Amino acid sequence: MSVSYMTHPLIKHKITLIRRETTGTNEFRKIIEEIAMLMGYEALADLPTTDVEVKTPIETTIQPVIDGKKLAVVPILRAGLGMVNGILALVPSAKVGHIGLYRDPETHQPHEYYCKLPDSIEERQIVVVDPMLATGDSAVDTVTMIKQHGGKKIKFMSIIAAPEGVSALMKAHPDIQLYVGCLDRQLNENAYICPGLGDAGDRIFGTI
Ligand SMILES: O=P(O)(O)OC[C@H]1O[C@H](OP(=O)(O)OP(=O)(O)O)[C@H](O)[C@@H]1O
Ligand SMILES: O=c1cc[nH]c(=O)[nH]1
Ligand SMILES: [Mg+2]
């Protein structure tokens, strides 16, 4: 598996803004979307293209367009939903699948409650989005579910990751490409990322 860590100063700056405990829901949601778009730009740099004929007002020319079936963006509910529009701003024709998982507050284990993926998933470039990669259990289970449905070309985008989560995902799914906004120090005893930003889902949706 390849792991890419974001180096762009705009991404770094925006991640710092969402870490602040004083950043409110409205701003938090908006910045998550902006970061997703900037990370999406980096993560989709290797999309295949094919040449087509285009008639300009001047002459006919052969130029590239994105090749293959439409991209599938797959957010892990809930927090991943906050990143979807950032990717759709880049690729408006993308299909959107959903995987519903939540971490049990006691055991920290993920529990699946929903899975709906676009058709012909085996042919699509899939981009899984979830702002937080903590223990990695949710990410590992999500990628396993997508593979069970036939998904093959999988990229995973996470805004903040713990080293434990990166290792777990690399070990379980060495064939995927992982994109991380910032690699944080460690997990605490409640499996929250330190320094992190708290609970991403609650901060996006204004719940506690
Ligand atoms: O790497 P892990 O240890 O599995 O933790 C990461 C998961 O935890 C969060 O979701 P959460 O369970 O809080 O659900 P929510 O998005 O509905 O708030 C986050 O959005 C990830 O999906
Ligand atoms: O730090 C963390 C860990 C898991 N989920 C979150 O939203 N934040
Ligand atoms: Mg949450």
Side-chain angles (χ1 to χ4, degrees):
M1 179 176 85
S2 68
V3 189
S4 307
Y5 296 99
M6 300 298 115
T7 55
H8 200 294
L10 282 173
I11 297 178
K12 292 183 179 188
H13 178 87
K14 286 173 193 290
I15 292 176
T16 299
L17 296 182
I18 53 171
R19 288 185 191 278
R20 280 198 187 124
E21 64 178 357
T22 51
T23 300
T25 300
N26 188 16
E27 200 186 352
F28 190 91
R29 203 183 278 150
K30 187 169 140 278
I31 301 171
I32 285 271
E33 195 174 311
E34 290 170 358
I35 295 169
M37 185 177 70
L38 294 168
M39 287 184 64
Y41 180 79
E42 304 268 357
L44 298 177
D46 61 356
L47 277 187
T49 59
T50 187
D51 287 340
V52 297
E53 194 177 278
V54 180
K55 192 168 176 304
T56 79
I58 310 298
E59 62 180 32
T60 297
T61 172
I62 305 293
Q63 299 292 337
V65 291
I66 303 290
D67 194 20
K69 269 219 171 275
K70 294 189 174 80
L71 195 86
V73 188
V74 180
I76 303 179
L77 306 179
R78 292 172 302 164
L81 283 175
M83 297 174 71
V84 172
N85 283 344
I87 308 295
L88 291 180
L90 298 172
V91 192
S93 61
K95 307 280 184 180
V96 183
H98 295 88
I99 302 270
L101 287 179
Y102 71 90
R103 292 200 319 178
D104 183 292
E106 301 296 327
T107 65
H108 312 134
Q109 286 302 301
H111 291 271
E112 177 196 332
Y113 59 90
Y114 192 72
C115 176
K116 181 80 180 170
L117 298 173
D119 64 7
S120 309
I121 195 72
E122 64 284 352
E123 293 173 48
R124 299 182 191 279
Q125 174 62 63
I126 300 160
V127 182
V128 184
V129 290
D130 190 330
M132 310 305 278
L133 181 62
T135 63
D137 290 341
S138 304
V140 168
D141 285 7
T142 294
V143 174
T144 301
M145 280 163 69
I146 292 172
K147 286 181 175 174
Q148 283 167 351
H149 283 80
K152 291 185 174 62
K153 295 180 274 182
I154 303 172
K155 293 175 186 277
F156 195 105
M157 277 175 47
S158 134
I159 295 178
I160 295 183
E164 295 89 332
V166 174
S167 303
L169 191 53
M170 277 171 84
K171 190 161 170 248
H173 297 293
D175 53 319
I176 72 165
Q177 291 169 284
L178 173 62
Y179 300 86
V180 173
C182 186
L183 183 67
D184 272 13
R185 194 178 69 248
Q186 66 185 103
L187 296 177
N188 68 13
E189 61 284 4
N190 296 318
Y192 271 81
I193 301 174
C194 306
L197 49 70
D199 189 302
D202 285 342
R203 295 196 63 183
I204 290 169
F205 294 106
T207 51
I208 40 165

